[in-house]
Amino acid sequence: PLKLLAKINEIAMQTKNIVKDDPRKLIHSLKVGLAITLVSLFYYFQPLYSSFGVSAMWAVMTVVVVFEFSVGATLGKGLNRGLATFAAGALGLGAHHLAGITGKTCEPILIGLFVFLQAVASTFIRFFPKVKARYDYGMLIFILTFCFVSISGYRSDEILDLAQKRLSTILIGASTCLIVSILVCPVWAGEDLHLLVSRNIEKLGNFLEGFADECFRKSDMAEITNGRSSSLVGLNGVLDSKSSEETLANFARWEPCHGKFMYRHPWKQYLKIGTLTRQCACRVEALNGYLNSKSQAKQEIRRIIQDPFFSMSSEAGKALKDLAIAIQTMSKPSSPNPHIANLKIASQNLKSLLKSDLWYQHTDLLEVAAVASLLIDTVILVENISDAVNELSS
Amino acid sequence: PLKLLAKINEIAMQTKNIVKDDPRKLIHSLKVGLAITLVSLFYYFQPLYSSFGVSAMWAVMTVVVVFEFSVGATLGKGLNRGLATFAAGALGLGAHHLAGITGKTCEPILIGLFVFLQAVASTFIRFFPKVKARYDYGMLIFILTFCFVSISGYRSDEILDLAQKRLSTILIGASTCLIVSILVCPVWAGEDLHLLVSRNIEKLGNFLEGFADECFRKSDMAEITNGRSSSLVGLNGVLDSKSSEETLANFARWEPCHGKFMYRHPWKQYLKIGTLTRQCACRVEALNGYLNSKSQAKQEIRRIIQDPFFSMSSEAGKALKDLAIAIQTMSKPSSPNPHIANLKIASQNLKSLLKSDLWYQHTDLLEVAAVASLLIDTVILVENISDAVNELSS
């Protein structure tokens, strides 16, 4: 029983964390409950029930299956389901009719053949990359409905009535989802993508800004390591954000105009900025690896490139944070960006420092040069991000 | 009409490419068609139909929804669907019964309340990371079935009969999927993961082996660029393989013992090797970037580190290809690996070359050092991959 209690406690903690992390998840759960309750009214009220009958259940099922976290995903799934049901229903009726005119013996064989061919073709089409990305669910529903209509037709004479009822209940379910999803605290995939991209840039900026301070100025190493390891988790989050950005961009394309975003907002540009951010984060992570390594060269490196390192990483951090704010507020970033200009100068200084004879006396040349070249790379990527953000704002 | 013809031609080409790329996709489509035809027999034959009636349609639906490309995915979905239907059906019957004893007026209100609470709780549970990874589909089916059973119960008196029929047809559908999926040209997710990981290592090995040759020895640069760009696509494939490896490992866990793989094969170790491979590929990509840049330093770099570069990249390539073969054949890699030993020596040589005074006369120190340090990093990662493969084989 103690174990059980601990388990329950753990689940409660997890629940609390999820809600604290993103209260919209709790709201989404309530929205799903609301939508299901709304459509189930068709079952409870006699006048509504008498017009749809048992088919009303399809409205409930549609809500359960179609209701997704963001408006874009719900809209995409709803449209997929509605259109696929309509198309497959019409084709299924056609197949049923065609098989019917050949007579009673041939009918099941012909229907079986149609179902087989359709299933093979549709399943194969799902492997096309473009179809897989946007219409996978629609293809599934297409197979489902075609089988349902054409096979049912063999046993039921009211097939037309059945198909029509099913389609209308699915439309009711899908529109209930959409209305609840848009009217009650809507979650827009486009907005999420917008925030995710700008927050990733901000995280990277914070990391870079804190970099110089923590690695070069302070003395208490243990404390630093703790602070860094938590912000390193943030950095890893940036590195792993590719698939979530792509998913959000895919959903965002379905969304109508909302808030500050138009219907055809340049979502692809966000993906481009995201990719550059990840490349930059990759360099910063490598930099972090060099500076945290236990090698004796560390002291050496620090002494030599302390000043350029400090100014470059803090300027890069500030430049990134400016860009993040520019994205968030959808304003044009100040141009020419003063931090970027400073970065270019610092980068030149570092290069000439490396070419000077001054530091040939030091033995751990290799690591110094590696750190320096990573820094210079980082600066180039920051400039690229700045260009991409400028392009987005124009 | 010309445009349409071009479009059709394009689709035909794409189809051909998909089949050529992976003929199992065509076979999978045929398998789905076969499974659907098998379960639809329940509808055509009178003796089978009379025992299940319209519920037989659920078997067809189950096949359409559950049948996935690999055995592991099909098994996971089938188990999720079967268990969730059973659990939700039992709970739904309980809710129906509980609401029934309170009288006719309270019944719809109580059922509505149960459905609402259940939908909110289940939707929220789907956000738990562990549940999302493995039981997301099960939770969806749980909500669906609970709503179906408890709401239907309000209108239909044969609810127990309905639930039992539905469960048995779902079991028939799921087992048909499994049998077809395992007996007809099975696709094992575990085997795919195994091959993907070893092929990625092989690709990286080939890239490294060809590196030295193409960049340093040959003269025709245009031809080289073409060759490299196609193998660079391969390298990018390695870098992007994270999510597919994780998906495959998730499916592989459901699979029973097959071929050379036991039920609890260490799939996680494959993910570890995959991560190391990607890290190594990241370094190699950076290396490639330096060597392909148009800077004037290139000639300088080449002259200085031509010999160590050539030996290191070709030895690293050979070492990786050996490891890939060891994974593929599931044999223990030769230990101590001669290529790894050579790599260590070459790495030491390069380090001492960098520390010698010999090359201080060259100006483009920075890039030489960057290339050298990337090479040394690559070698360290190759050693780590070798350790991880050793661990897998033991």
Side-chain angles (χ1 to χ4, degrees):
Chain A
L2 259 172
K3 249 185 177 172
L4 191 75
L5 222 71
K7 190 82 195 160
I8 290 174
N9 199 28
E10 194 196 312
I11 292 175
M13 284 300 295
Q14 237 180 319
T15 309
K16 224 171 111 187
N17 283 339
I18 291 176
V19 174
K20 223 172 80 183
D21 221 45
D22 192 353
R24 299 179 305 171
K25 286 180 178 169
L26 183 61
I27 296 173
H28 171 72
S29 307
L30 292 170
K31 280 159 73 179
V32 173
L34 174 67
I36 290 178
T37 310
L38 279 179
V39 291
S40 63
L41 291 181
F42 281 88
Y43 237 77
Y44 302 139
F45 287 127
Q46 194 55 49
L48 288 172
Y49 183 77
S50 53
S51 57
F52 288 109
V54 196
S55 287
M57 193 44 73
W58 284 106
V60 178
M61 298 209 166
T62 303
V63 171
V64 175
V65 177
V66 164
F67 210 131
E68 292 276 331
F69 190 59
S70 66
V71 176
T74 309
L75 193 56
K77 260 196 158 175
L79 281 178
N80 260 314
R81 190 179 176 105
L83 290 177
T85 305
F86 181 74
L91 267 179
L93 283 178
H96 166 66
H97 188 73
L98 204 69
I101 52 176
T102 57
K104 264 293 162 202
T105 29
C106 275
E107 195 184 344
I109 298 169
L110 259 184
I111 290 180
L113 190 70
F114 286 148
V115 167
F116 177 79
L117 289 178
Q118 181 272 140
V120 173
S122 306
T123 308
F124 189 78
I125 290 172
R126 287 175 76 188
F127 285 117
F128 283 74
K130 270 186 201 167
V131 175
K132 186 147 205 87
R134 301 193 71 186
Y135 307 106
D136 196 52
Y137 183 66
M139 289 310 295
L140 186 75
I141 294 297
F142 185 87
I143 306 176
L144 207 64
T145 308
F146 186 89
C147 292
F148 188 80
V149 171
S150 57
I151 299 180
S152 295
Y154 181 60
R155 290 285 173 185
S156 164
D157 297 327
E158 300 154 329
I159 182 71
L160 198 68
D161 185 50
L162 200 78
Q164 182 249 322
K165 263 187 190 159
R166 199 185 147 181
L167 187 63
S168 52
T169 45
I170 283 179
L171 291 183
I172 290 172
S175 37
T176 310
C177 282
L178 262 183
I179 291 167
V180 172
S181 167
I182 292 179
L183 292 188
V184 187
C185 309
V187 175
W188 301 99
E191 208 177 314
D192 273 13
L193 176 63
H194 177 84
L195 288 176
L196 179 66
V197 168
S198 73
R199 265 185 212 143
N200 278 348
I201 293 180
E202 201 186 334
K203 268 184 202 163
L204 195 59
N206 280 331
F207 192 87
L208 272 170
E209 237 192 355
F211 218 175
D213 272 346
E214 294 186 17
C215 273
F216 286 92
R217 305 275 143 140
K218 282 184 194 163
S219 50
D220 188 349
M221 277 311 285
E223 195 188 309
I224 292 170
T225 314
N226 282 337
R228 286 239 74 73
S229 72
S230 81
S231 69
L232 198 63
V233 172
L235 196 66
N236 282 330
V238 176
L239 287 170
D240 288 342
S241 59
K242 188 178 184 228
S243 66
S244 47
E245 278 177 14
E246 276 173 1
T247 313
L248 284 175
N250 232 343
F251 292 155
R253 259 182 253 159
W254 294 102
E255 288 176 355
C257 103
H258 58 279
K260 300 168 291 183
F261 305 97
M262 312 286 284
Y263 170 55
R264 287 206 174 278
H265 199 71
W267 303 117
K268 278 201 173 165
Q269 187 67 18
Y270 283 99
L271 292 183
K272 198 176 148 193
I273 297 175
T275 306
L276 288 171
T277 310
R278 274 189 297 283
Q279 281 175 6
C280 191
C282 200
R283 303 299 195 282
V284 173
E285 203 205 6
L287 211 51
N288 189 48
Y290 273 113
L291 294 176
N292 283 339
S293 73
K294 301 279 173 207
S295 84
Q296 297 194 325
K298 206 159 62 176
Q299 298 301 324
E300 200 80 353
I301 302 176
R302 292 191 177 184
R303 213 163 50 75
I304 301 173
I305 53 167
Q306 182 159 333
D307 290 335
F309 185 96
F310 181 77
S311 64
M312 281 172 83
S313 61
S314 78
E315 285 292 325
K318 279 175 197 151
L320 286 174
K321 280 163 80 177
D322 275 7
L323 291 172
I325 291 170
I327 295 182
Q328 253 168 49
T329 57
M330 297 185 88
S331 58
K332 230 177 149 61
S334 54
S335 173
N337 192 316
H339 298 301
I340 297 278
N342 288 344
L343 271 179
K344 278 182 182 158
I345 296 167
S347 191
Q348 282 304 328
N349 287 345
L350 181 60
K351 276 182 192 161
S352 47
L353 175 68
L354 289 173
K355 280 181 185 168
S356 73
D357 290 341
L358 180 82
W359 59 297
Y360 282 164
Q361 45 192 302
H362 303 289
T363 46
D364 280 300
L365 186 60
L366 184 62
E367 296 204 20
V368 178
V371 167
S373 90
L374 279 170
L375 258 178
I376 291 169
D377 258 22
T378 306
V379 169
I380 294 171
L381 279 164
V382 171
E383 287 167 25
N384 289 344
I385 293 174
S386 164
D387 291 344
V389 173
N390 273 320
E391 204 179 309
L392 175 66
S393 71
S394 65
Chain B
L2 259 171
K3 249 186 178 172
L4 190 76
L5 222 72
K7 190 83 195 159
I8 290 174
N9 199 27
E10 194 196 314
I11 292 175
M13 284 301 293
Q14 238 179 320
T15 309
K16 222 171 113 187
N17 283 339
I18 291 176
V19 175
K20 224 172 82 183
D21 222 43
D22 192 353
R24 297 179 307 171
K25 286 180 178 168
L26 184 62
I27 296 174
H28 171 72
S29 307
L30 292 170
K31 279 159 74 178
V32 173
L34 175 66
I36 290 179
T37 311
L38 279 180
V39 290
S40 63
L41 291 181
F42 280 88
Y43 237 77
Y44 302 137
F45 287 127
Q46 193 56 47
L48 287 172
Y49 182 76
S50 52
S51 56
F52 288 107
V54 195
S55 287
M57 194 45 74
W58 285 105
V60 178
M61 297 209 167
T62 303
V63 170
V64 175
V65 178
V66 164
F67 210 131
E68 293 277 329
F69 190 58
S70 66
V71 176
T74 310
L75 193 55
K77 260 196 159 175
L79 281 178
N80 260 314
R81 190 176 178 108
L83 290 177
T85 305
F86 180 73
L91 267 179
L93 282 179
H96 166 65
H97 188 73
L98 204 68
I101 53 175
T102 58
K104 264 292 161 203
T105 29
C106 276
E107 196 183 344
I109 299 169
L110 260 183
I111 290 180
L113 190 71
F114 286 148
V115 166
F116 178 78
L117 290 178
Q118 181 273 140
V120 174
S122 306
T123 308
F124 190 77
I125 290 173
R126 287 175 78 187
F127 286 117
F128 281 73
K130 268 186 201 165
V131 175
K132 188 149 203 86
R134 300 192 72 187
Y135 306 107
D136 196 53
Y137 183 67
M139 289 309 295
L140 186 76
I141 294 297
F142 185 87
I143 306 177
L144 207 66
T145 309
F146 185 90
C147 292
F148 187 80
V149 171
S150 57
I151 299 179
S152 294
Y154 181 61
R155 290 284 172 186
S156 163
D157 298 326
E158 301 153 329
I159 182 71
L160 197 69
D161 186 51
L162 200 78
Q164 181 249 323
K165 261 186 190 161
R166 201 186 145 181
L167 187 64
S168 53
T169 44
I170 283 178
L171 291 182
I172 290 171
S175 37
T176 310
C177 282
L178 264 183
I179 291 167
V180 172
S181 166
I182 293 179
L183 291 188
V184 187
C185 310
V187 175
W188 301 99
E191 207 177 316
D192 273 13
L193 176 63
H194 176 85
L195 287 176
L196 178 66
V197 169
S198 72
R199 264 184 211 144
N200 278 348
I201 295 181
E202 199 185 337
K203 270 184 200 162
L204 196 59
N206 281 331
F207 193 87
L208 273 170
E209 235 191 358
F211 218 177
D213 273 345
E214 296 187 15
C215 274
F216 287 91
R217 307 273 145 140
K218 283 183 193 164
S219 50
D220 188 349
M221 275 312 284
E223 192 188 311
I224 292 170
T225 313
N226 282 337
R228 287 240 72 74
S229 73
S230 81
S231 69
L232 199 62
V233 171
L235 196 64
N236 282 330
V238 176
L239 286 170
D240 288 341
S241 59
K242 187 180 184 228
S243 66
S244 47
E245 279 177 13
E246 276 173 359
T247 313
L248 285 176
N250 232 344
F251 292 156
R253 261 183 250 159
W254 293 102
E255 288 175 353
C257 105
H258 58 278
K260 299 168 289 180
F261 305 98
M262 311 288 284
Y263 169 55
R264 288 207 172 277
H265 199 72
W267 303 116
K268 279 201 172 166
Q269 186 66 19
Y270 284 100
L271 292 183
K272 199 176 147 192
I273 296 175
T275 306
L276 288 171
T277 309
R278 275 189 298 281
Q279 282 175 4
C280 191
C282 200
R283 303 299 193 284
V284 172
E285 204 205 4
L287 211 52
N288 189 48
Y290 273 113
L291 295 174
N292 284 340
S293 73
K294 302 277 173 209
S295 83
Q296 297 194 325
K298 206 158 65 175
Q299 299 301 323
E300 199 80 352
I301 301 176
R302 292 191 179 185
R303 212 166 48 77
I304 301 173
I305 54 167
Q306 182 158 335
D307 289 335
F309 185 97
F310 181 77
S311 66
M312 280 173 83
S313 62
S314 78
E315 284 291 324
K318 278 176 198 152
L320 285 175
K321 280 163 80 177
D322 274 8
L323 290 172
I325 290 171
I327 295 182
Q328 252 169 50
T329 56
M330 295 185 89
S331 57
K332 230 178 152 53
S334 53
S335 173
N337 191 317
H339 299 302
I340 298 277
N342 288 344
L343 271 179
K344 279 181 182 162
I345 296 168
S347 191
Q348 282 305 328
N349 286 345
L350 181 59
K351 277 181 191 163
S352 46
L353 175 68
L354 289 173
K355 281 182 185 169
S356 73
D357 290 341
L358 181 81
W359 59 298
Y360 281 161
Q361 46 193 301
H362 304 291
T363 47
D364 282 299
L365 187 59
L366 185 63
E367 297 204 22
V368 178
V371 168
S373 92
L374 279 171
L375 258 179
I376 291 170
D377 259 22
T378 307
V379 169
I380 292 171
L381 279 165
V382 170
E383 286 168 26
N384 288 345
I385 294 174
S386 162
D387 291 344
V389 173
N390 272 320
E391 204 180 308
L392 175 67
S393 71
S394 66

